[in-house]
Amino acid sequence: MVRDYDVIVVGAGIAGLMTAARLAMSGKRVAVFERGLIGARSTAGNHGTIHSGALHARDHAEIVPACAEAVELFAAAFPGALVARGAYYFGRAACLAQHAAGWERLGCRFRWASGEELEGLFRRDRSRDLRFALVDDLAMSSRRVVTELLCLCWHLGVDVHPRAAVNDVLVERGEAVGVALSGRGEVTAGEVVLCAGLGLRELAERRSLRLLDSLRPRFDMVAAFKASGLERSIVSLEHGGPVIAPTAGGALLASVHGGAQPLGLPHHRGSVPVVKMFELVERMRFYFRDGLIGYHTGQATMCSRMELDRGGADAWGIEPRSAIVDHGREDGIARLWTLVPGKLSLGFHASRDLASRVLDVPLGLPLPRAPLDRMIEADAIVEPSPFGAGAWGAPAAAARGSAPAPSRAQRASEPA
């Protein structure tokens, strides 16, 4: 039987587009279907932080090596999406010492920083009681990463279909043979890969997949504020402290470290409990100097992600690892795969591992840089920032340019 494609990927987030690109680079005819705009839902609603592993050294040491590799992989593949390199972590002396012991044991790049180095950011009466370390995290425009990945997929011959909802996986004689689209008929393929994020639960229910009971959709608040003088991310290691990151558009994104990320989804995904916004502002005011953040400009949204519970959750119930499910083994449906990428930082590794298993050939981690000649066309079908143009990434006209040059302060002191 002649199939329409060799592989169909359901979901056009970062993991789905990376997977499609890898399969196409290996000579496969690939199609990607996304129910909304490209990069919608989970991808559109995150900080864009590529963690070096330092944040996870205490509770999830197993992902630290992959996170460290991810920093170099994202910086090399998406230089135009890079907003800042390096992040200041802070906390009380005992808290920082505990984390630093893990960094040294696991080989995380960091150096101690003085309060004077962050002068003008923290309230003086707070900074005296804190310690600071500079680690090798990246602040990226996740929207720009998605836009470049879309250009790469097009360049490699991938057919990408936005606003094309997949209602079901077609199965014949114990094998996945394609997908059924909402109001658009059926499309056949030799393999089907589900990278559908929050949409995965609906597809798993239709096929009674065993992973259904292990899926954990979570949501949390991210807020954007106008700010001045923020060149790097600042991360509290104290539970309940603020996490802030610069953006390409000049705003900052903020959330709470260790904030509650309850299971399930709110009635309206974009709605934010007012009390959560008040709590975030109160915590930022506690640490940061007056005038740094325009609190009256704040806008908040709910971001979400899908996790697969495999018994590795931390004290807050968070499971950051990626997971690949072979439904031939789990459910008796051959040639059907699911990818739950976990943290954004694990996108390269998760997509490499999934594509290697589909092809039964070991693949490398790097991806080539995308040609940028279709950036404006791609920008038009990528999910806009929840906070308006420029908040999480440069608009299309600016997107054609190169990465922003590092500031003098950034060049002066990189992690050792």
Side-chain angles (χ1 to χ4, degrees):
M1 178 181 177
V2 178
R3 308 289 191 192
D4 297 318
Y5 296 96
D6 296 319
V7 185
I8 287 173
V9 177
V10 181
I14 288 176
L17 293 174
M18 283 186 170
T19 300
R22 295 185 187 281
L23 294 168
M25 289 169 62
S26 299
K28 296 298 183 182
R29 296 175 300 129
V30 183
V32 179
F33 294 96
E34 169 61 54
R35 71 168 59 190
L37 293 174
I38 306 304
R41 295 196 173 191
S42 298
T43 299
N46 64 63
H47 279 91
T49 298
I50 307 302
H51 291 290
S52 62
L55 187 65
H56 306 296
R58 185 182 65 182
D59 298 314
H60 297 285
E62 70 280 0
I63 70 170
V64 169
C67 288
E69 290 179 325
V71 168
E72 304 302 335
L73 290 164
F74 273 93
F78 308 107
L82 181 62
V83 178
R85 182 158 190 168
Y88 288 107
Y89 284 23
F90 74 93
R92 290 168 293 183
C95 176
L96 260 290
Q98 182 184 41
H99 282 272
W103 300 342
E104 291 174 345
R105 183 178 70 255
L106 296 168
C108 297
R109 293 182 64 198
F110 81 100
R111 69 164 178 80
W112 295 109
S114 66
E116 290 77 13
E117 193 172 322
L118 286 88
E119 187 174 358
L121 299 178
F122 284 80
R123 297 170 61 96
R124 289 186 177 181
D125 56 336
R126 304 300 180 200
S127 61
R128 288 193 296 267
D129 300 324
L130 300 172
R131 291 205 68 186
F132 304 91
L134 180 64
V135 304
D136 200 25
D137 291 1
L138 303 180
M140 306 283 289
S141 164
S142 57
R143 188 176 189 278
R144 172 70 186 244
V145 171
V146 170
T147 308
E148 291 194 18
L149 277 171
L150 176 56
C151 289
L152 178 62
C153 285
W154 281 343
H155 177 70
L156 295 170
V158 177
D159 289 340
V160 182
H161 303 272
R163 299 188 179 95
V166 171
N167 283 345
D168 199 2
V169 176
L170 303 177
V171 178
E172 293 181 1
R173 295 185 292 276
E175 291 188 355
V177 296
V179 297
L181 302 176
S182 177
R184 298 173 62 173
E186 299 177 348
V187 183
T188 59
E191 309 263 357
V192 176
V193 176
L194 305 180
C195 296
L198 296 178
L200 181 57
R201 188 172 187 84
E202 181 180 335
L203 294 171
E205 286 178 343
R206 287 221 169 89
R207 282 289 153 193
S208 300
L209 302 179
R210 292 177 61 186
L211 63 73
L212 180 62
D213 292 336
S214 299
L215 291 176
R216 299 288 185 266
R218 293 187 179 276
F219 64 94
D220 195 14
M221 182 191 73
V222 173
F225 301 85
K226 290 183 179 180
S228 61
L230 183 67
E231 296 183 334
R232 285 182 163 132
S233 299
I234 301 177
V235 178
S236 169
L237 292 177
E238 302 283 354
H239 183 74
V243 176
I244 61 177
T247 71
L252 68 80
L253 300 181
S255 62
V256 174
H257 176 66
Q261 297 182 13
L263 296 173
L265 292 174
H267 177 67
H268 183 268
R269 205 176 64 84
S271 62
V272 177
V274 174
V275 66
K276 291 181 71 70
M277 188 64 164
F278 278 126
E279 289 173 351
L280 174 60
V281 169
E282 183 179 66
R283 290 164 187 177
M284 290 193 294
R285 286 186 185 276
F286 180 83
Y287 286 106
F288 302 124
R289 69 164 176 82
D290 294 339
L292 175 67
I293 301 169
Y295 295 109
H296 65 286
T297 67
Q299 304 175 58
T301 189
M302 299 302 286
C303 63
S304 53
R305 71 173 184 271
M306 183 67 78
E307 298 174 352
L308 189 66
D309 183 4
R310 299 184 299 174
D314 57 26
W316 298 280
I318 307 301
E319 170 58 270
R321 296 179 298 169
S322 60
I324 295 170
V325 179
D326 177 353
H327 294 286
R329 295 181 178 180
E330 295 293 323
D331 302 283
I333 305 176
R335 303 184 181 279
L336 176 63
W337 307 82
T338 287
L339 175 60
V340 181
K343 301 292 291 185
L344 172 63
S345 307
L346 302 179
F348 273 89
H349 294 77
S351 62
R352 186 275 311 270
D353 294 347
L354 187 281
S356 295
R357 292 184 64 174
V358 171
L359 298 167
D360 197 24
V361 174
L363 299 176
L365 278 169
L367 285 170
R369 292 187 187 179
L372 305 182
D373 54 313
R374 300 179 67 181
M375 283 291 284
I376 293 179
E377 181 183 354
D379 183 83
I381 59 171
V382 172
E383 179 80 0
S385 161
F387 304 116
W392 279 8
R400 293 193 298 272
S402 59
S407 70
R408 182 178 301 173
Q410 290 174 318
R411 290 193 300 267
S413 54
E414 298 298 333

